[in-house]
Structure formats: C-alpha cells, structure tokens
Amino acid sequence: MSSSAHQPCCGLKSRYSYSPLSSWRLSASSWNWNRFPPKEWRKLLPLVSAAASSPSPISNAQTKERLKLKQLFKEAYERCCTSPMDGVSFTLEDFHAALADYDFVSELGTKVKGTVFCTNANGALVDTVKGTAYLPTQEACILKIKHVEEAGIYPGLEEEFIIIAEQEDGDGLILSLRSVQYGLAWERCRQLQAEDIVIKGKVVGATKGGVVVLVEGLRGFVPFSQISAKSTAEELLNKELRLKFVEVDEELSRLILSNSKAIVSQAELRIGSVVTGTVQILKPYGAFIDIGGINGLLHVSQISQNHILDIATVLQPGDVLKVMILSYDQNKGRVSLSTKKLEPTPGDMIHNPKLVFEKADEMAQTFRQRIAQAEAMARAGLLGCQPESG
C-alpha cells in the first residue's frame, strides 16, 4: 500500500510542468488544490502564505527618497511641456545661426571649401568642414599628371572642391578639382566661340576624318576639310594649329574646331590681289593651292577662259603659280582663286602660262579698275533712286 500511495507523487515530473517556487503566484486563494492532490503539497501552504503576507524590506528613509525623486521628475516634465527654454542661455535662434555657419550636407556633386595639409604621390589630404577628405592625383587636374604638385597643389592651398564619392570604409569623402576645372573649361570655350577668338591647339591624335587637338584642357576635333595646309595626320602630330571654334556642346561632349577659319580671319586678303601659291592636291573639280598657310581652291572653271577637260594637263602638284583672290568667306575659312582673270587672251593658261604670270599684276590691276567702276555705277544708280530732299 505504501508503495502504491507514493506512485502519483513519483509521476509528477512527467505529468505536470512547474516552475520554481519564487516564480509562482503567492496567493492561497488562487492555489489549485485539486490539481495537486498529494498531501505532501499541502505542507507548503504555510510557506506560501508567509511569503505573500511578509512586510516590504524597504526602509522608510528609502521610501521618502524615492517619493522625492518622483516629485522632481514630475516637475521637470511639466517644465519641459510648458517652458522648455526657461533658464537656457543657448536660444533657438542661436542654434539656427550655428547651423547656418556650417554645412553638414555631404551629397555627391556638392561643392565644399577645404585646405590642403598633406600631399604625396597618390594625392592630397584636405581639411574641410565635413572632416578630412581625400583628393586623388587623377582628380587633381584636368590634364594628366603624376604628382599633385604639378597642378600647383601644396600644403596650405585653399580651394573649392566637388564631392564625387565616399571612401569605402565610410570614413571620409573623395574630392575632385578636375570636375571644377572641366566645367570652367567648357565655359571658357563657349566664351571664345562667342567672341570669335583665334586660339592655339596642340595636335595629340588622329582619326579617320581629322585630328584631335587639346584646347583649354579639353579634346576637340578638327576635320581634314577644315585644315588649311594639306598635311597628313602624322605630319601634324604634336604641332600647334591656329583654330577657331565651330561647335561647342558640353552636353554631347562635342567640340569642333577649324584651322582654315582661323587662318583666313587673320590674313590680309583683298579681292583682286595677286599672290603666289603652290599646287597641293588635284581634284576633278579643281586644285587646292597653298598661299602662305592658307588653302585656297582654284576651281576648274577659273583656270582658263577655254574649257579644260583634265586639270592634270595644265597643273601638277608642286607647281608654283600666281593666282588672284576672287573671293573669301571669313566665317567658313574658304578662299576662291582664279587664273582665268589673269589671262591676257583666252587660253593663255593652257598654251602659255609663263605669259600669264608675267602679266598677272597688270591684268589684276585692270580687273580691280573694272570692279571699282562697276561699284561706282551701282552707287550712282542707288543715289538716282533716292527721292529729292527739301
């Protein structure tokens, strides 16, 4: 019997889950005596009742201190709700003024002022309001350099930079001066184009249709049709050309220039004047003549008063001859030439070119006189059309 009486007690662990005594509810009224029928559990009642009715071990002094702190917190909370700035010397206006003095925005593409305090072969360290930033060598100048000092960057230099990235570890920014100079270079090119200024550009490469020149730190393109001297790309490499801007488009990164336009604009060309030139290239429609660095076109119809079927029967590359300036377009850089106007008699350029060159100045003078007479008659005709004034 004794062993069977203790069997339910032995099976408690498998049938019921329970927590330590300290985590149970210490309430005799809520104790489920039907759930725990064994007599042994009834022996725990005095202990549970004693734990539930035992007085708090906190002393009266500690209770007073806690009540005092509670009152202080309550008063502080009320002050925060009613007058949060009462007694504070740093006002809200002072806070906004401090924010205005410092720019804490680190968006990419924004400008920031800084002072260089260290340089090496890889770049430079810059002190900014956003902290220490890094300027790589390739971002220090619009031109290719090996050291930042080649671009005039030394410790103590104060400059405005553009934020282009954050360092991989997130501790600092990466700056660029190249981006700043890039924008200024395009602005400079637009200004030079507007003022129609002649500049110089160095040939640094070649393509199928022209040469690549370096202008204001930017790469521009000069078509072969816009180069006055008929030279190959290899002959022009590393040489400087006088240039004028034809197209400046920053959005498309398109920079087109003309050498012929620059040459013609600087030359003192007068219609009817005689110059000496050298035949450069023959084409079915005419011959290109080099007249002191300017490339002019002697059209097949302007070679002789007689019809010419094949230019090669009259001219050859390298021939030196006298030509008269028939017209020139300063904007397009084109010069039109003529030997027909210098012929004493029709066909002399074909049969006796030596005579044409000997009489060139004389025939040019006659041509200019005829032009002057025609202009005078035109002016007189215009004056005759004007109404009489009182």
Side-chain angles (χ1 to χ4, degrees):
M1 289 294 291
S2 61
S3 60
S4 60
H6 290 281
Q7 284 180 357
C9 185
C10 297
L12 269 175
K13 290 185 178 180
S14 60
R15 293 180 59 191
Y16 304 103
S17 59
Y18 59 92
S19 301
L21 182 61
S22 60
S23 64
W24 288 7
R25 286 184 174 179
L26 303 181
S27 175
S29 61
S30 62
W31 192 270
N32 190 349
W33 296 106
N34 296 325
R35 186 177 179 184
F36 304 101
K39 296 180 180 181
E40 286 79 359
W41 287 98
R42 297 179 182 272
K43 298 177 182 180
L44 296 174
L45 181 59
L47 296 176
V48 173
S49 299
S53 60
S54 61
S56 174
I58 303 176
S59 64
N60 292 334
Q62 290 176 323
T63 302
K64 291 181 180 180
E65 186 65 25
R66 290 188 177 185
L67 292 174
K68 183 179 179 181
L69 289 176
K70 183 178 180 180
Q71 184 64 28
L72 289 176
F73 283 127
K74 182 178 180 182
E75 294 174 356
Y77 175 75
E78 291 177 353
R79 285 196 303 271
C80 290
C81 294
T82 57
S83 55
M85 300 302 294
D86 186 21
V88 180
S89 59
F90 189 76
T91 64
L92 184 62
E93 289 75 13
D94 295 334
F95 177 71
H96 288 305
L99 289 180
D101 292 336
Y102 296 94
D103 179 20
F104 297 100
V105 180
S106 298
E107 295 181 0
L108 302 184
T110 58
K111 293 183 179 180
V112 60
K113 291 183 179 180
T115 303
V116 178
F117 66 89
C118 180
T119 62
N120 55 32
N122 298 322
L125 294 178
V126 184
D127 183 24
T128 72
V129 295
K130 304 175 186 299
T132 301
Y134 178 59
L135 175 68
T137 301
Q138 62 269 24
E139 292 294 334
C141 184
I142 196 172
L143 302 175
K144 289 185 178 181
I145 57 175
K146 295 182 178 179
H147 199 285
V148 293
E149 294 182 355
E150 297 179 30
I153 299 175
Y154 293 91
L157 174 69
E158 295 183 0
E159 195 57 83
E160 190 174 51
F161 305 86
I162 287 184
I163 301 172
I164 60 172
E166 293 185 357
Q167 296 189 33
E168 293 182 357
D169 55 4
D171 187 17
L173 303 172
I174 298 179
L175 306 178
S176 173
L177 270 178
R178 180 177 176 272
S179 300
V180 178
Q181 297 171 358
Y182 191 76
L184 293 175
W186 279 104
E187 180 62 31
R188 175 64 174 163
C189 289
R190 285 191 290 267
Q191 181 181 359
L192 292 171
Q193 182 190 30
E195 297 178 1
D196 201 29
I197 302 297
V198 176
I199 62 170
K200 288 186 177 182
K202 185 178 181 181
V203 179
V204 295
T207 64
K208 185 178 180 179
V211 295
V212 180
V213 294
L214 197 62
V215 177
E216 297 294 327
L218 302 174
R219 288 178 174 265
F221 179 69
V222 184
F224 283 125
S225 61
Q226 292 296 321
I227 298 177
S228 179
K230 294 302 176 181
S231 304
T232 63
E234 290 75 14
E235 293 172 341
L236 294 174
L237 194 62
N238 295 323
K239 289 185 178 180
E240 285 191 340
L241 297 177
R242 285 180 289 178
L243 302 166
K244 273 193 173 184
F245 291 97
V246 176
E247 183 178 355
V248 179
D249 192 332
E250 182 179 0
E251 292 184 359
L252 299 178
S253 296
R254 186 178 177 88
L255 196 62
I256 309 298
L257 303 102
S258 171
N259 169 245
S260 301
K261 188 177 178 180
I263 295 295
V264 171
S265 66
Q266 290 187 322
E268 295 181 359
L269 300 177
R270 292 183 304 164
I271 295 176
S273 60
V274 176
V275 294
T276 302
T278 304
V279 178
Q280 297 290 315
I281 299 175
L282 296 181
K283 295 289 184 179
Y285 54 84
F288 287 98
I289 314 296
D290 181 13
I291 50 173
I294 301 173
N295 204 43
L297 175 63
L298 177 60
H299 196 270
V300 64
S301 63
Q302 288 294 328
I303 295 177
S304 177
Q305 297 183 49
N306 289 356
H307 183 66
I308 297 176
L309 294 175
D310 187 5
I311 301 177
T313 60
V314 182
L315 300 174
Q316 288 293 323
D319 288 350
V320 178
L321 64 159
K322 287 186 177 181
V323 294
M324 188 182 72
I325 297 175
L326 189 63
S327 66
Y328 72 94
D329 189 331
Q330 185 171 347
N331 293 327
K332 296 182 179 181
R334 296 176 181 175
V335 180
S336 297
L337 308 173
S338 176
T339 54
K340 180 172 73 173
K341 305 296 184 183
L342 302 179
E343 287 183 323
T345 57
D348 284 343
M349 193 61 196
I350 300 174
H351 307 294
N352 192 3
K354 184 178 180 181
L355 177 63
V356 175
F357 302 149
E358 290 175 355
K359 297 287 185 176
D361 293 331
E362 182 181 339
M363 295 301 297
Q365 179 65 25
T366 303
F367 175 79
R368 289 193 294 269
Q369 289 175 355
R370 291 200 302 266
I371 294 296
Q373 291 174 358
E375 291 177 350
M377 292 177 63
R379 286 195 296 270
L382 290 174
L383 291 174
C385 296
Q386 299 296 325
E388 293 183 2
S389 60

mmCIF file of all heavy atoms in Angstrom, residues 155-187:
data_model
loop_
_atom_site.group_PDB
_atom_site.id
_atom_site.type_symbol
_atom_site.label_atom_id
_atom_site.label_comp_id
_atom_site.label_asym_id
_atom_site.label_seq_id
_atom_site.Cartn_x
_atom_site.Cartn_y
_atom_site.Cartn_z
ATOM 1 N N PRO A 155 50.636 71.973 -49.552
ATOM 2 C CA PRO A 155 50.018 72.202 -48.235
ATOM 3 C C PRO A 155 49.795 73.690 -47.994
ATOM 4 O O PRO A 155 50.651 74.516 -48.263
ATOM 5 C CB PRO A 155 51.056 71.610 -47.265
ATOM 6 C CG PRO A 155 51.744 70.552 -48.061
ATOM 7 C CD PRO A 155 51.818 71.092 -49.458
ATOM 8 N N GLY A 156 48.617 74.001 -47.498
ATOM 9 C CA GLY A 156 48.246 75.388 -47.260
ATOM 10 C C GLY A 156 47.335 75.967 -48.335
ATOM 11 O O GLY A 156 46.753 77.040 -48.146
ATOM 12 N N LEU A 157 47.190 75.269 -49.459
ATOM 13 C CA LEU A 157 46.347 75.759 -50.541
ATOM 14 C C LEU A 157 44.878 75.677 -50.142
ATOM 15 O O LEU A 157 44.388 74.638 -49.727
ATOM 16 C CB LEU A 157 46.578 74.947 -51.815
ATOM 17 C CG LEU A 157 45.646 75.263 -52.996
ATOM 18 C CD1 LEU A 157 45.946 76.656 -53.549
ATOM 19 C CD2 LEU A 157 45.777 74.208 -54.085
ATOM 20 N N GLU A 158 44.159 76.794 -50.263
ATOM 21 C CA GLU A 158 42.729 76.827 -50.018
ATOM 22 C C GLU A 158 42.010 76.815 -51.363
ATOM 23 O O GLU A 158 42.299 77.634 -52.228
ATOM 24 C CB GLU A 158 42.339 78.068 -49.212
ATOM 25 C CG GLU A 158 42.915 78.087 -47.803
ATOM 26 C CD GLU A 158 42.457 79.299 -47.011
ATOM 27 O OE1 GLU A 158 41.688 80.113 -47.589
ATOM 28 O OE2 GLU A 158 42.854 79.445 -45.854
ATOM 29 N N GLU A 159 41.098 75.897 -51.522
ATOM 30 C CA GLU A 159 40.437 75.718 -52.822
ATOM 31 C C GLU A 159 39.015 75.215 -52.610
ATOM 32 O O GLU A 159 38.648 74.753 -51.521
ATOM 33 C CB GLU A 159 41.241 74.728 -53.672
ATOM 34 C CG GLU A 159 40.897 74.713 -55.154
ATOM 35 C CD GLU A 159 41.043 76.051 -55.806
ATOM 36 O OE1 GLU A 159 42.159 76.428 -56.204
ATOM 37 O OE2 GLU A 159 40.001 76.739 -55.907
ATOM 38 N N GLU A 160 38.216 75.307 -53.665
ATOM 39 C CA GLU A 160 36.858 74.779 -53.651
ATOM 40 C C GLU A 160 36.833 73.480 -54.444
ATOM 41 O O GLU A 160 37.246 73.449 -55.598
ATOM 42 C CB GLU A 160 35.875 75.790 -54.241
ATOM 43 C CG GLU A 160 34.422 75.412 -54.029
ATOM 44 C CD GLU A 160 33.467 76.492 -54.501
ATOM 45 O OE1 GLU A 160 33.614 76.941 -55.653
ATOM 46 O OE2 GLU A 160 32.593 76.902 -53.719
ATOM 47 N N PHE A 161 36.335 72.419 -53.827
ATOM 48 C CA PHE A 161 36.336 71.091 -54.418
ATOM 49 C C PHE A 161 34.894 70.623 -54.644
ATOM 50 O O PHE A 161 33.939 71.215 -54.137
ATOM 51 C CB PHE A 161 37.053 70.082 -53.508
ATOM 52 C CG PHE A 161 38.449 70.480 -53.137
ATOM 53 C CD1 PHE A 161 38.693 71.316 -52.051
ATOM 54 C CD2 PHE A 161 39.539 70.007 -53.860
ATOM 55 C CE1 PHE A 161 39.978 71.675 -51.699
ATOM 56 C CE2 PHE A 161 40.826 70.356 -53.520
ATOM 57 C CZ PHE A 161 41.050 71.194 -52.442
ATOM 58 N N ILE A 162 34.764 69.538 -55.391
ATOM 59 C CA ILE A 162 33.476 68.893 -55.594
ATOM 60 C C ILE A 162 33.532 67.488 -54.986
ATOM 61 O O ILE A 162 34.500 66.757 -55.194
ATOM 62 C CB ILE A 162 33.113 68.804 -57.089
ATOM 63 C CG1 ILE A 162 32.739 70.191 -57.606
ATOM 64 C CG2 ILE A 162 31.952 67.839 -57.315
ATOM 65 C CD1 ILE A 162 32.281 70.199 -59.047
ATOM 66 N N ILE A 163 32.502 67.127 -54.231
ATOM 67 C CA ILE A 163 32.416 65.795 -53.628
ATOM 68 C C ILE A 163 31.961 64.810 -54.702
ATOM 69 O O ILE A 163 30.889 64.972 -55.293
ATOM 70 C CB ILE A 163 31.442 65.775 -52.451
ATOM 71 C CG1 ILE A 163 31.882 66.782 -51.382
ATOM 72 C CG2 ILE A 163 31.340 64.375 -51.854
ATOM 73 C CD1 ILE A 163 30.869 66.961 -50.274
ATOM 74 N N ILE A 164 32.774 63.799 -54.984
ATOM 75 C CA ILE A 164 32.432 62.836 -56.037
ATOM 76 C C ILE A 164 32.133 61.443 -55.488
ATOM 77 O O ILE A 164 31.531 60.627 -56.198
ATOM 78 C CB ILE A 164 33.559 62.750 -57.089
ATOM 79 C CG1 ILE A 164 34.875 62.292 -56.442
ATOM 80 C CG2 ILE A 164 33.735 64.069 -57.790
ATOM 81 C CD1 ILE A 164 35.966 62.015 -57.443
ATOM 82 N N ALA A 165 32.527 61.148 -54.254
ATOM 83 C CA ALA A 165 32.268 59.812 -53.704
ATOM 84 C C ALA A 165 32.608 59.799 -52.217
ATOM 85 O O ALA A 165 33.146 60.769 -51.670
ATOM 86 C CB ALA A 165 33.084 58.743 -54.439
ATOM 87 N N GLU A 166 32.265 58.678 -51.567
ATOM 88 C CA GLU A 166 32.657 58.418 -50.193
ATOM 89 C C GLU A 166 33.652 57.273 -50.177
ATOM 90 O O GLU A 166 33.585 56.376 -51.023
ATOM 91 C CB GLU A 166 31.443 58.056 -49.327
ATOM 92 C CG GLU A 166 30.471 59.200 -49.120
ATOM 93 C CD GLU A 166 29.354 58.812 -48.165
ATOM 94 O OE1 GLU A 166 29.338 57.633 -47.741
ATOM 95 O OE2 GLU A 166 28.517 59.673 -47.848
ATOM 96 N N GLN A 167 34.578 57.316 -49.235
ATOM 97 C CA GLN A 167 35.542 56.236 -49.129
ATOM 98 C C GLN A 167 34.833 54.928 -48.763
ATOM 99 O O GLN A 167 33.762 54.943 -48.153
ATOM 100 C CB GLN A 167 36.603 56.586 -48.094
ATOM 101 C CG GLN A 167 37.433 57.803 -48.485
ATOM 102 C CD GLN A 167 38.630 58.012 -47.571
ATOM 103 O OE1 GLN A 167 39.207 57.050 -47.078
ATOM 104 N NE2 GLN A 167 38.999 59.261 -47.358
ATOM 105 N N GLU A 168 35.428 53.817 -49.160
ATOM 106 C CA GLU A 168 34.791 52.515 -48.982
ATOM 107 C C GLU A 168 34.469 52.212 -47.525
ATOM 108 O O GLU A 168 33.442 51.599 -47.230
ATOM 109 C CB GLU A 168 35.702 51.416 -49.551
ATOM 110 C CG GLU A 168 35.863 51.494 -51.063
ATOM 111 C CD GLU A 168 36.720 50.370 -51.595
ATOM 112 O OE1 GLU A 168 37.220 49.578 -50.773
ATOM 113 O OE2 GLU A 168 36.886 50.276 -52.821
ATOM 114 N N ASP A 169 35.318 52.646 -46.626
ATOM 115 C CA ASP A 169 35.055 52.388 -45.209
ATOM 116 C C ASP A 169 34.064 53.390 -44.614
ATOM 117 O O ASP A 169 33.709 53.302 -43.439
ATOM 118 C CB ASP A 169 36.352 52.397 -44.401
ATOM 119 C CG ASP A 169 37.135 53.699 -44.580
ATOM 120 O OD1 ASP A 169 36.624 54.614 -45.268
ATOM 121 O OD2 ASP A 169 38.252 53.794 -44.036
ATOM 122 N N GLY A 170 33.611 54.347 -45.444
ATOM 123 C CA GLY A 170 32.644 55.331 -44.980
ATOM 124 C C GLY A 170 33.233 56.414 -44.111
ATOM 125 O O GLY A 170 32.515 57.290 -43.623
ATOM 126 N N ASP A 171 34.551 56.389 -43.909
ATOM 127 C CA ASP A 171 35.214 57.350 -43.031
ATOM 128 C C ASP A 171 35.895 58.423 -43.877
ATOM 129 O O ASP A 171 37.117 58.414 -44.049
ATOM 130 C CB ASP A 171 36.222 56.624 -42.137
ATOM 131 C CG ASP A 171 36.810 57.555 -41.084
ATOM 132 O OD1 ASP A 171 36.207 58.619 -40.851
ATOM 133 O OD2 ASP A 171 37.863 57.221 -40.514
ATOM 134 N N GLY A 172 35.123 59.351 -44.426
ATOM 135 C CA GLY A 172 35.709 60.437 -45.202
ATOM 136 C C GLY A 172 35.153 60.500 -46.614
ATOM 137 O O GLY A 172 34.474 59.588 -47.094
ATOM 138 N N LEU A 173 35.435 61.615 -47.277
ATOM 139 C CA LEU A 173 34.940 61.868 -48.621
ATOM 140 C C LEU A 173 36.073 61.876 -49.627
ATOM 141 O O LEU A 173 37.238 62.058 -49.276
ATOM 142 C CB LEU A 173 34.217 63.220 -48.654
ATOM 143 C CG LEU A 173 33.046 63.395 -47.687
ATOM 144 C CD1 LEU A 173 32.572 64.829 -47.691
ATOM 145 C CD2 LEU A 173 31.922 62.453 -48.043
ATOM 146 N N ILE A 174 35.732 61.693 -50.905
ATOM 147 C CA ILE A 174 36.688 61.787 -52.007
ATOM 148 C C ILE A 174 36.334 63.037 -52.803
ATOM 149 O O ILE A 174 35.182 63.220 -53.216
ATOM 150 C CB ILE A 174 36.643 60.536 -52.906
ATOM 151 C CG1 ILE A 174 37.047 59.302 -52.078
ATOM 152 C CG2 ILE A 174 37.572 60.702 -54.101
ATOM 153 C CD1 ILE A 174 37.017 58.009 -52.866
ATOM 154 N N LEU A 175 37.312 63.892 -53.021
ATOM 155 C CA LEU A 175 37.102 65.186 -53.662
ATOM 156 C C LEU A 175 37.686 65.200 -55.071
ATOM 157 O O LEU A 175 38.455 64.326 -55.469
ATOM 158 C CB LEU A 175 37.740 66.302 -52.831
ATOM 159 C CG LEU A 175 37.337 66.379 -51.369
ATOM 160 C CD1 LEU A 175 38.085 67.505 -50.686
ATOM 161 C CD2 LEU A 175 35.836 66.560 -51.227
ATOM 162 N N SER A 176 37.306 66.248 -55.817
ATOM 163 C CA SER A 176 37.809 66.410 -57.185
ATOM 164 C C SER A 176 37.975 67.890 -57.499
ATOM 165 O O SER A 176 37.096 68.704 -57.209
ATOM 166 C CB SER A 176 36.856 65.764 -58.185
ATOM 167 O OG SER A 176 37.258 66.053 -59.513
ATOM 168 N N LEU A 177 39.121 68.226 -58.075
ATOM 169 C CA LEU A 177 39.334 69.545 -58.670
ATOM 170 C C LEU A 177 39.134 69.467 -60.178
ATOM 171 O O LEU A 177 38.826 70.454 -60.832
ATOM 172 C CB LEU A 177 40.758 70.045 -58.374
ATOM 173 C CG LEU A 177 40.951 70.849 -57.103
ATOM 174 C CD1 LEU A 177 42.411 71.221 -56.939
ATOM 175 C CD2 LEU A 177 40.094 72.106 -57.118
ATOM 176 N N ARG A 178 39.314 68.276 -60.721
ATOM 177 C CA ARG A 178 39.166 68.061 -62.162
ATOM 178 C C ARG A 178 37.747 68.401 -62.612
ATOM 179 O O ARG A 178 37.555 69.005 -63.663
ATOM 180 C CB ARG A 178 39.496 66.602 -62.502
ATOM 181 C CG ARG A 178 39.372 66.253 -63.971
ATOM 182 C CD ARG A 178 39.799 64.807 -64.213
ATOM 183 N NE ARG A 178 39.600 64.434 -65.593
ATOM 184 C CZ ARG A 178 38.475 63.939 -66.092
ATOM 185 N NH1 ARG A 178 37.447 63.750 -65.284
ATOM 186 N NH2 ARG A 178 38.366 63.625 -67.358
ATOM 187 N N SER A 179 36.758 68.025 -61.818
ATOM 188 C CA SER A 179 35.369 68.310 -62.173
ATOM 189 C C SER A 179 35.106 69.812 -62.210
ATOM 190 O O SER A 179 34.371 70.309 -63.064
ATOM 191 C CB SER A 179 34.424 67.634 -61.179
ATOM 192 O OG SER A 179 34.603 66.236 -61.192
ATOM 193 N N VAL A 180 35.715 70.543 -61.268
ATOM 194 C CA VAL A 180 35.561 72.002 -61.253
ATOM 195 C C VAL A 180 36.196 72.605 -62.497
ATOM 196 O O VAL A 180 35.605 73.442 -63.190
ATOM 197 C CB VAL A 180 36.188 72.592 -59.983
ATOM 198 C CG1 VAL A 180 36.080 74.111 -59.991
ATOM 199 C CG2 VAL A 180 35.516 72.019 -58.745
ATOM 200 N N GLN A 181 37.427 72.176 -62.822
ATOM 201 C CA GLN A 181 38.134 72.702 -63.988
ATOM 202 C C GLN A 181 37.441 72.306 -65.289
ATOM 203 O O GLN A 181 37.479 73.054 -66.272
ATOM 204 C CB GLN A 181 39.579 72.200 -63.977
ATOM 205 C CG GLN A 181 40.380 72.676 -62.780
ATOM 206 C CD GLN A 181 41.726 71.989 -62.673
ATOM 207 O OE1 GLN A 181 42.056 71.117 -63.471
ATOM 208 N NE2 GLN A 181 42.509 72.376 -61.683
ATOM 209 N N TYR A 182 36.826 71.133 -65.313
ATOM 210 C CA TYR A 182 36.124 70.667 -66.504
ATOM 211 C C TYR A 182 34.979 71.617 -66.865
ATOM 212 O O TYR A 182 34.804 72.010 -68.024
ATOM 213 C CB TYR A 182 35.585 69.258 -66.245
ATOM 214 C CG TYR A 182 35.052 68.546 -67.467
ATOM 215 C CD1 TYR A 182 35.903 68.004 -68.413
ATOM 216 C CD2 TYR A 182 33.678 68.415 -67.663
ATOM 217 C CE1 TYR A 182 35.405 67.346 -69.522
ATOM 218 C CE2 TYR A 182 33.173 67.752 -68.766
ATOM 219 C CZ TYR A 182 34.042 67.221 -69.693
ATOM 220 O OH TYR A 182 33.540 66.578 -70.792
ATOM 221 N N GLY A 183 34.194 72.005 -65.867
ATOM 222 C CA GLY A 183 33.099 72.942 -66.107
ATOM 223 C C GLY A 183 33.591 74.307 -66.538
ATOM 224 O O GLY A 183 33.009 74.947 -67.430
ATOM 225 N N LEU A 184 34.686 74.778 -65.917
ATOM 226 C CA LEU A 184 35.250 76.073 -66.294
ATOM 227 C C LEU A 184 35.806 76.049 -67.713
ATOM 228 O O LEU A 184 35.721 77.050 -68.436
ATOM 229 C CB LEU A 184 36.361 76.458 -65.302
ATOM 230 C CG LEU A 184 35.909 76.755 -63.870
ATOM 231 C CD1 LEU A 184 37.122 77.006 -62.981
ATOM 232 C CD2 LEU A 184 34.966 77.954 -63.832
ATOM 233 N N ALA A 185 36.381 74.924 -68.134
ATOM 234 C CA ALA A 185 36.940 74.815 -69.484
ATOM 235 C C ALA A 185 35.846 74.926 -70.546
ATOM 236 O O ALA A 185 36.018 75.612 -71.562
ATOM 237 C CB ALA A 185 37.698 73.494 -69.632
ATOM 238 N N TRP A 186 34.722 74.264 -70.318
ATOM 239 C CA TRP A 186 33.616 74.370 -71.273
ATOM 240 C C TRP A 186 33.064 75.780 -71.313
ATOM 241 O O TRP A 186 32.718 76.295 -72.390
ATOM 242 C CB TRP A 186 32.515 73.381 -70.912
ATOM 243 C CG TRP A 186 32.777 71.995 -71.389
ATOM 244 C CD1 TRP A 186 33.192 70.927 -70.656
ATOM 245 C CD2 TRP A 186 32.657 71.521 -72.747
ATOM 246 N NE1 TRP A 186 33.339 69.822 -71.454
ATOM 247 C CE2 TRP A 186 33.007 70.145 -72.737
ATOM 248 C CE3 TRP A 186 32.283 72.124 -73.940
ATOM 249 C CZ2 TRP A 186 33.004 69.381 -73.897
ATOM 250 C CZ3 TRP A 186 32.273 71.360 -75.101
ATOM 251 C CH2 TRP A 186 32.633 70.003 -75.073
ATOM 252 N N GLU A 187 32.974 76.430 -70.168
ATOM 253 C CA GLU A 187 32.505 77.808 -70.130
ATOM 254 C C GLU A 187 33.461 78.732 -70.888
ATOM 255 O O GLU A 187 33.035 79.642 -71.606
ATOM 256 C CB GLU A 187 32.369 78.260 -68.676
ATOM 257 C CG GLU A 187 31.881 79.694 -68.501
ATOM 258 C CD GLU A 187 30.493 79.907 -69.081
ATOM 259 O OE1 GLU A 187 29.695 78.955 -69.083
ATOM 260 O OE2 GLU A 187 30.213 81.033 -69.538
#
